Every structure is written in structure tokens, then in C-alpha cells.
């Protein structure tokens, strides 16, 4: 599990700098056969994973669930055999002196008047150079997590710095961010936090993130950045960002649609199928190493019960959207896996493949056709193949995958369905 902290709100006084059921879906002779070919020698980006946010005190909804429901919701989000298998949790760094509304608490409730007054560390809008004080404040945050036994892996010190809002936030250009990164990186290192990576800058959209990337590179700070981070609100992901850093999509959701648990309802923006395609686009066409949905859970009262969450937690009850299972289909891709080439299958088939660290090969396929199709994957030399699918009535359900005598793997995917294959060595370690 990676824990990534994003500065979702600046200090109040901040500078104006922000289970699957098993089902048999027999192969049907009449179904169109779609042949997909994987090339393990053709390698692309390394994957860091998929995730959700728990910001704005949403984790309290899970904390307040009684067993066994609490366990069920946690499994739905994080379990790699029965749930979405998320590996990234994005939490907020609070900046509010109390828990009013759903704001997040700061660890420095009293505003210091000079940088030197910062003992746990902090920052303020008062004039002067607060970069070091802010870096110290962030290190104190990471150390609080560490004292609870939680290792933070990635640190983002801004959130939507191109957006001005009524809640606490912080503005910054890529150039200003680079100035701060040059202070933050050595501060992390001095505090024995060399393993904590810096992510930047959680732009509201892809166009702004592209600007951040070029400004950070021009300012000479690119080598200190692990991932350029973008949201998809003001401009959607398209093409690739020019950077040597990794690229993560760190926050996006449908903010308008009323709560929907549909997989496919004519392409609605909250549909699971729509999300399957959104994530696919980012990973395959835009070189993303991570895709993080906005909230994992939220209640009914917040924002008119819209689709910005994957699971609706309402008191002691919960409802799971199909968006969760759109992500669940990606759980066969584990952190550290490398994307490899996948091709074929015709215009209604989208395919992506990954070589996991354990040597297994994951293949994720979306069928956009209005009819079921049989996917045949050209021989890869693995003796074991498993497959799972999601459609209107199934959630990452096991589907029978067969290995032909020549090693071709086949399984059926329903109309507007998604199927994931996992090819593995035999338990004794042998290939074919
Ligand atoms: C995932 O769920 C299975 C089935 O309930 C359970 O046996 C396993 O312990 C869970 N994994 C984790 C890491 O909790
Ligand atoms: C960093 O680690 C070294 C070696 O373990 C130790 O001597 C030093 O006190 C540590 N520094 C901090 C700031 O924790
Ligand atoms: C994809 O991202 C990797 C870093 O994860 C980078 O090395 C590579 O150049 C990127 N490729 C494209 C086409 O942007
Ligand atoms: C390893 O397992 C495979 C598949 O179950 C089997 O065909 C093979 O004979 C086994 N090899 C050894 C050395 O046990």
C-alpha cells in the first residue's frame, strides 16, 4: 500500500501560494473470435497502481461502520482477491484549526508569526521566506504518520494550485513549485526521508499539468520530482506530457450525476463502463503510471449524493457502484508492473497488457460491441490462466478461460463488458 499525502488545503493563514461471484459464461461457437497478441519485449511505463482518496474526513464513515460491514467495505476497496485491490491511498494534509464541516485539521492550530516560531513546523501568509518552515511542517506530518506505523511514500505539497476557491487553498505556478521543491527535497533527505518521493502539482486539468511539467523542467527541478500529477476536471487527459518524471492522474470523478450504480446506461458519466474507458485511456494512450479516483466512500448528504464516490456509506448501510468494479478489473496489474504491447482484436476491442514483478502477465480488455465476443490471446507460454469479467450483472466474476493445445487462451466477454486475464507459472514454478 502506498500512502500519498496531498496538500488538499493550505493553512488557514496560508500564503496565497493549495467478491466476486463465480459464474460460468460458456464460450459460444457463434461469437466473434477476437485475436489479441501480446509482445512482452515491447515495454512502456512502469505502473505504480490505482487508488482513491480519503480526504475531507471520509475515512470516518468507514471508522463508524460496525463489523462485519467495516471489514466488507475495506475488502471492497483494498482486497486484491475479492475487491478492487487498490494500492494507493491519497490523504489530505489538513489546514483547519478545528473539525468544522468536513475540513481537515492542521497539526499547527495556532498561526506562527515568524518562520522561526514554527516548532512542529508551519507556514503562513505573512511576508518573508516560509519555504523552509513549510517543508518542516510537511516533514512533521510525515513523522506523525510514521509514529502510527504508517509509511508515507509520496508527498504532494499543492492541490489544484491553478484554482481559487472559498475553502483553504494555495496558488502556485510550476516555477514557484520548483523553488519549493529545491527546499523540500534536501529537507526530506536531511530527515532520513530519502524514500519519500515528491509529486507535483495536482493541477485541475491536463493542460495545466503540462505547463507545470515544462516549468519544473526549465527551473531544473525535474530530477527531484517522482511524478507530475494532474486532475481531469478542467481539461481531460489526452496525448502525453513531455517529462522524464512519471505521470499520475490523482483525482477525478463525475461531480454532477446523481448516485448511480449502473455499469452501462448509455454512456453516462457515472457509468462503470465509462470509467473503464477513462482509466484505459489514461494508462494506454497517455502513459499514466497511476490512476486515482476521487473519494472511495462518501455519505448521501454530501453534494446531493452525486457520483464522486465509489461506495455510498450511509450510516450502517453501504451500496457499491460499478465504478468500483471498473477499477477492480485493473487489480491484476500490480504496482511495479510494466506495461507491454497488446494489439489486435478489431475496432470494438481495447487491450492493454502488463508484465508484473512476479513474472505474471496481466491483460485487461474492454469490449465495446453490443454483442458478446470470444477473446483469444496468442500463446504466451504460461501453463496457468485465470480470467474475470464485469458487466451489468457481474462484478469481477470468475469466467472460465481455456488454454488450447497450442497455448492460445480463450474466454468470452459479454457485450459492453470488461475482462481481465492473468497468466501465471505453475505453482511449482514451471512454465509450459
Ligand atoms: C481478502 O479476502 C479474502 C476472502 O475473504 C480473505 O481470506 C483475505 O484475508 C483478504 N485479504 C486481506 C489482505 O485482507
Ligand atoms: C538519520 O539517521 C541517522 C543514522 O541512523 C541518525 O544518526 C540521525 O540521527 C537520523 N536523523 C534524523 C533527523 O532522524
Ligand atoms: C512514459 O513515462 C515514462 C516514465 O514513466 C517515460 O520515461 C517515457 O518517456 C514516457 N513515454 C511517453 C511516450 O511519454
Ligand atoms: C510442475 O507443474 C506442472 C503443472 O501442474 C506439471 O505439468 C509439471 O510436471 C510439474 N513439474 C515438476 C518438476 O513437478
Amino acid at each position: 500500500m502506498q500512502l500519498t499525502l496531498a496538500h488538499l488545503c493550505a493553512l488557514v493563514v496560508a500564503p496565497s501560494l493549495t467478491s466476486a461471484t463465480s459464474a460460468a459464461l460458456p464460450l459460444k461457437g457463434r461469437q466473434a473470435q477476437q485475436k489479441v497478441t501480446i509482445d512482452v519485449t515491447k515495454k512502456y511505463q512502469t505502473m505504480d497502481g490505482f487508488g482513491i482518496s480519503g480526504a475531507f474526513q471520509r475515512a470516518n464513515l468507514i471508522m463508524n461502520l460496525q463489523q462485519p460491514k467495516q471489514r466488507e467495505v475495506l475488502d471492497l476497496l483494498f482486497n486484491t482477491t475479492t475487491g478492487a485491490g487498490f494500492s494507493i491511498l491519497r490523504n489530505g494534509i489538513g489546514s483547519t484549526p478545528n473539525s468544522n464541516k468536513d475540513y481537515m485539521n492542521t497539526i499547527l492550530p495556532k498561526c506562527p508569526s515568524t518562520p522561526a516560531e514554527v516548532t512542529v513546523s508551519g507556514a503562513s501568509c505573512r511576508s518573508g521566506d516560509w519555504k523552509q518552515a513549510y517543508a518542516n511542517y510537511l516533514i512533521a506530518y510525515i513523522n506523525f504518520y510514521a509514529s502510527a506505523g504508517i509509511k508515507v511514500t509520496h508527498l504532494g505539497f499543492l492541490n489544484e494550485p491553478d484554482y481559487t476557491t472559498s475553502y483553504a487553498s494555495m496558488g502556485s505556478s510550476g516555477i514557484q513549485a520548483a523553488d519549493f521543491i529545491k527546499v523540500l527535497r534536501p529537507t526530506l533527505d536531511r530527515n532520513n526521508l530519502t524514500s519519500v518521493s515528491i509529486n507535483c502539482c495536482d493541477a485541475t486539468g491536463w493542460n495545466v499539468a503540462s505547463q507545470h511539467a515544462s516549468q519544473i523542467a526549465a527551473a531544473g527541478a525535474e530530477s527531484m520530482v517522482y511524478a507530475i500529477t494532474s486532475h481531469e476536471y478542467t481539461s481531460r487527459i489526452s496525448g502525453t506530457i513531455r517529462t522524464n518524471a512519471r505521470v499520475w492522474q490523482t483525482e477525478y470523478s463525475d461531480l454532477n450525476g446523481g448516485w448511480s450504480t449502473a455499469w452501462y446506461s448509455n454512456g453516462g458519466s457515472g457509468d462503470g463502463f465509462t470509467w473503464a474507458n477513462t482509466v484505459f485511456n489514461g494508462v494506454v494512450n497517455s502513459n499514466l503510471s497511476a490512476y486515482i479516483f476521487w473519494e472511495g466512500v462518501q455519505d448521501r448528504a454530501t453534494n446531493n449524493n452525486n457520483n464522486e464516490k465509489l461506495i455510498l456509506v450511509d450510516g450502517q448501510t453501504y451500496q457499491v457502484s460499478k465504478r468500483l468494479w471498473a477499477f477492480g478489473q485493473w487489480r491484476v496489474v500490480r504496482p511495479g508492473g510494466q506495461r507491454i504491447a497488446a494489439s489486435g482484436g478489431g475496432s470494438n476491442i481495447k487491450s492493454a497488457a502488463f508484465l508484473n514483478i512476479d513474472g505474471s502477465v496481466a491483460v485487461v480488455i474492454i469490449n465495446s460491441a453490443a454483442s458478446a465476443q470470444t477473446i483469444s490471446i496468442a500463446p504466451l507460454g504460461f501453463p496457468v490462466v485465470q480470467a474475470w469479467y464485469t458487466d451489468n450483472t457481474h462484478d469481477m466474476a470468475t469466467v472460465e478461460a481455456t488454454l488450447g493445445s497450442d497455448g492460445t487462451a480463450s474466454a468470452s466477454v459479454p457485450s459492453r463488458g470488461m475482462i481481465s486475464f492473468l497468466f501465471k507459472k505453475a505453482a511449482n514454478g514451471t512454465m509450459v
Side-chain angles (χ1 to χ4, degrees):
M1 168 69 58
Q2 297 188 335
L3 183 71
T4 167
L5 286 178
H7 194 260
L8 291 177
C9 296
L11 290 169
V12 164
V13 289
S16 131
L17 291 169
T18 104
S19 103
T21 49
S22 186
L25 191 72
L27 296 178
K28 298 195 185 70
R30 283 179 293 120
Q31 283 180 11
Q33 299 269 338
Q34 302 291 356
K35 188 164 179 174
V36 171
T37 303
I38 313 300
D39 182 353
V40 290
T41 65
K42 206 162 172 196
K43 296 188 164 127
Y44 303 101
Q45 81 270 27
T46 299
M47 299 303 295
D48 290 307
F50 301 88
I52 45 140
S53 180
F56 292 107
Q57 300 185 31
R58 302 300 177 230
N60 281 339
L61 294 167
I62 300 178
M63 291 270 288
N64 294 336
L65 276 175
Q66 284 160 15
Q67 298 298 8
K69 294 208 164 128
Q70 183 184 79
R71 177 80 215 179
E72 287 163 12
V73 168
L74 288 170
D75 275 338
L76 281 162
L77 294 168
F78 302 112
N79 195 301
T80 54
T81 53
T82 63
F86 285 129
S87 59
I88 301 176
L89 177 62
R90 175 176 181 251
N91 272 353
I93 300 173
S95 61
T96 307
N98 55 53
S99 297
N100 290 351
K101 300 190 179 172
D102 51 9
Y103 294 159
M104 295 170 285
N105 282 68
T106 177
I107 55 171
L108 188 66
K110 202 161 178 296
C111 181
S113 51
T114 69
E117 270 179 39
V118 178
T119 48
V120 293
S121 333
S124 108
C125 55
R126 300 195 175 95
S127 60
D129 188 340
W130 289 79
K131 292 197 288 297
Q132 185 61 57
Y134 186 37
N136 294 345
Y137 177 79
L138 295 170
I139 270 109
Y141 238 100
I142 292 173
N143 287 338
F144 273 122
Y145 272 94
S147 65
I150 298 166
K151 187 169 175 267
V152 171
T153 57
H154 298 80
L155 174 66
F157 57 92
L158 295 168
N159 180 63
E160 300 189 343
D162 55 311
Y163 181 62
T164 305
T165 177
S166 58
Y167 53 79
S169 75
M170 185 175 342
S172 173
S173 67
I175 296 163
Q176 291 168 313
D179 277 348
F180 182 65
I181 290 164
K182 290 174 187 172
V183 174
L184 181 58
R185 183 67 264 166
T187 305
L188 285 163
D189 296 345
R190 274 202 306 279
N191 285 273
N192 290 345
L193 295 170
T194 50
S195 64
V196 177
S197 299
I198 298 174
N199 284 356
C200 199
C201 312
D202 283 81
T204 58
W206 192 247
N207 295 347
V208 182
S210 304
Q211 285 169 22
H212 288 157
S214 63
Q215 290 172 338
I216 287 170
E222 190 186 63
S223 64
M224 290 177 246
V225 173
Y226 180 87
I228 295 293
T229 52
S230 181
H231 301 176
E232 280 203 75
Y233 297 113
T234 54
S235 52
R236 299 295 300 274
I237 286 177
S238 69
T240 52
I241 286 184
R242 198 186 305 180
T243 177
N244 292 315
R246 294 189 186 185
V247 182
W248 288 17
Q249 196 297 128
T250 45
E251 181 190 321
Y252 188 47
S253 68
D254 167 27
L255 297 175
N256 302 311
W259 171 248
S260 165
T261 57
W263 172 254
Y264 183 78
S265 65
N266 302 307
S269 53
D271 284 7
F273 189 73
T274 300
W275 278 89
N277 283 282
T278 293
V279 176
F280 185 98
N281 175 56
V283 170
V284 175
N285 300 326
S286 297
N287 205 27
L288 296 185
S289 290
Y291 200 106
I292 306 175
F293 191 82
W294 178 211
E295 297 286 11
V297 302
Q298 200 165 69
D299 60 14
R300 197 179 288 276
T302 303
N303 297 338
N304 301 316
N305 196 19
N306 67 2
N307 282 327
E308 65 185 304
K309 58 210 175 270
L310 297 177
I311 301 177
L312 165 62
V313 175
D314 206 41
Q316 292 301 318
T317 64
Y318 69 86
Q319 267 178 50
V320 184
S321 73
K322 287 284 192 176
R323 296 182 292 285
L324 179 97
W325 295 110
F327 281 92
Q329 289 286 148
W330 293 92
R331 77 174 184 218
V332 290
V333 182
R334 301 314 306 163
Q338 196 167 18
R339 190 165 74 83
I340 52 180
S343 60
S347 58
N348 285 319
I349 295 293
K350 289 181 185 169
S351 56
F354 305 82
L355 180 58
N356 286 318
I357 285 176
D358 68 0
S360 62
V361 168
V363 183
V364 178
I365 290 175
I366 297 173
N367 173 24
S368 303
S371 58
Q373 311 214 58
T374 299
I375 306 295
S376 298
I377 300 179
L380 282 163
F382 289 87
V384 179
V385 59
Q386 295 169 279
W388 300 265
Y389 76 105
T390 296
D391 67 358
N392 278 324
T393 49
H394 298 89
D395 303 329
M396 196 69 182
T398 304
V399 58
E400 190 187 357
T402 57
L403 275 177
S405 52
D406 70 342
T408 298
S410 302
S412 179
V413 55
S415 68
R416 295 195 183 93
M418 192 171 180
I419 186 167
S420 302
F421 291 83
L422 189 60
F423 293 87
K424 297 197 288 195
K425 292 177 182 173
N428 61 22
T430 62
M431 290 295 275
V432 172

